[in-house]
Amino acid sequence: MASATPLVEPAIAVPQPTKGKKPPYPFYLGGLAATIAASITHPLDLTKVRLQASGEKRMLESMRKTIRTAGVRGLFDGISGTWLRQMSYSLCRFWAYDESKKILGAGPDSPAWMLASAGVMAGSIAGVVGNPGEVVMVRLQGDFAKPPEKRFNYKHCFDALFRIVREEGASSLMRGVGPNVIRSVLMNSSQLASYVSCCRAGCIGYIISTNRYDFFKSQLLKTNYFQDNALCHFTASFAAGTVATTVCSPADVLKSRIMNASGPGSSSTLNVIRGSLANEGPMFMFKGWVPSWTRLQPTTILIFLTLEQLRRIVDWQRGTL
């Protein structure tokens, strides 16, 4: 009698759970990250604005003067203006960058020119939207560098907004919008695009300053002195930050001077250029370069480091970490 063959149940293929696409992060994370970073580096930004808008020439002397007249707390004068600026300009630029990438159809593997184009679009929009906050920030920061009779004496950012509109008209909130948009375009087309490009390549994204980071990194790797490690990333970002500060400096100085002024004719970019050239020579375009350069590196690092941590918190709350 033949032995019975045991019945073998056919294997049932268990479908593997597919990892769905992550939902978009809250649009305000970029502005929040920038606000936290700017709060930490505020003393350097305050000194930069005062050097650009006044006749002071030395960074350390300007900081010592601030401490002598207002104490250490004086290094944080006008911080409410910084918060207003970051939660308008920076919030808008991160949001507009993501939306611009969608419009252009840019993805993780898109070429650098497409990411830079998205940065140009974002910088143009954010430069206009954030201009009122920029005017308020510059005036609050530069006020104590003026003689007492010429100070605005705003109490905080909202007092500044209301008084500017009441005393000078709403159009004054758009003072210096031309140089501000140019600076915003230069900074955004490089900073945001390079961050995405280098994160895609597996680099430490938050130490990136400009799209020249990639250029400097590739040149360093061609030598026998560097490998693709933290030293190379730091050196490349150091060189790129220097270029970015220099390129943006003329527009940054003009923006600060126009926004910090008041009265008829003071909002004309050409008038400011003529007057500054006559009184100080062409090097006026690089006033405040040292604090601006000193501020750019840690600010960029802090923004992207904080942004990544905020995203991790959101992932943790969603259970997708």
Side-chain angles (χ1 to χ4, degrees), residues 131-187:
N131 205 76
E134 195 88 31
V135 173
V136 169
M137 181 192 74
V138 167
R139 289 193 175 190
L140 284 171
Q141 290 181 353
D143 214 28
F144 281 94
K146 296 179 177 181
E149 66 276 8
K150 293 185 178 180
R151 292 175 184 172
F152 295 108
N153 293 317
Y154 300 133
K155 297 176 183 177
H156 46 71
C157 62
F158 297 113
D159 179 52
L161 274 175
F162 296 142
R163 281 184 53 191
I164 289 171
V165 173
R166 186 174 67 246
E167 297 169 9
E168 303 175 41
S171 62
S172 287
L173 293 175
M174 300 309 291
R175 276 179 166 272
V177 67
N180 190 40
V181 169
I182 292 172
R183 178 192 176 278
S184 181
V185 166
L186 290 171
M187 189 62 70

Side-chain angles (χ1 to χ4, degrees), residues 59-271:
M59 180 181 74
L60 292 178
E61 180 57 35
S62 178
M63 295 181 80
R64 279 196 289 265
K65 180 181 176 182
T66 299
I67 294 173
R68 280 199 307 270
T69 55
V72 176
R73 189 176 176 181
L75 292 173
F76 292 89
D77 283 343
I79 196 167
S80 66
T82 295
W83 292 339
L84 176 65
R85 187 251 188 182
Q86 296 300 338
M87 289 306 292
S88 55
Y89 165 74
S90 289
L91 186 150
C92 181
R93 73 175 180 135
F94 277 94
W95 168 82
Y97 182 65
D98 287 336
E99 294 301 314
S100 298
K101 286 195 297 180
K102 292 177 186 177
I103 293 172
L104 296 174
D109 298 318
S110 298
W113 67 265
M114 187 175 288
L115 296 175
S117 298
V120 169
M121 294 169 65
S124 301
I125 297 168
V128 175
V129 172
N131 205 76
E134 195 88 31
V135 173
V136 169
M137 181 192 74
V138 167
R139 289 193 175 190
L140 284 171
Q141 290 181 353
D143 214 28
F144 281 94
K146 296 179 177 181
E149 66 276 8
K150 293 185 178 180
R151 292 175 184 172
F152 295 108
N153 293 317
Y154 300 133
K155 297 176 183 177
H156 46 71
C157 62
F158 297 113
D159 179 52
L161 274 175
F162 296 142
R163 281 184 53 191
I164 289 171
V165 173
R166 186 174 67 246
E167 297 169 9
E168 303 175 41
S171 62
S172 287
L173 293 175
M174 300 309 291
R175 276 179 166 272
V177 67
N180 190 40
V181 169
I182 292 172
R183 178 192 176 278
S184 181
V185 166
L186 290 171
M187 189 62 70
N188 281 276
S189 62
S190 56
Q191 189 184 56
L192 294 179
S194 64
Y195 172 75
V196 172
S197 297
C198 291
C199 279
R200 180 179 69 209
C203 296
I204 303 174
Y206 48 79
I207 63 170
I208 296 157
S209 293
T210 68
N211 60 0
R212 286 174 176 79
Y213 171 87
D214 281 335
F215 169 77
F216 285 118
K217 179 187 169 188
S218 64
Q219 296 303 307
L220 291 172
L221 290 176
K222 289 178 182 178
T223 70
N224 297 324
Y225 303 104
F226 291 92
Q227 296 178 347
D228 194 0
N229 53 24
L231 176 61
C232 178
H233 302 157
F234 175 82
T235 306
S237 64
F238 181 90
T242 302
V243 174
T245 304
T246 306
V247 169
C248 293
S249 183
D252 205 23
V253 172
L254 288 173
K255 175 207 73 173
S256 293
R257 293 193 173 193
I258 293 171
M259 291 179 176
N260 205 39
S262 61
S266 60
S267 61
S268 169
T269 302
L270 288 178
N271 285 346

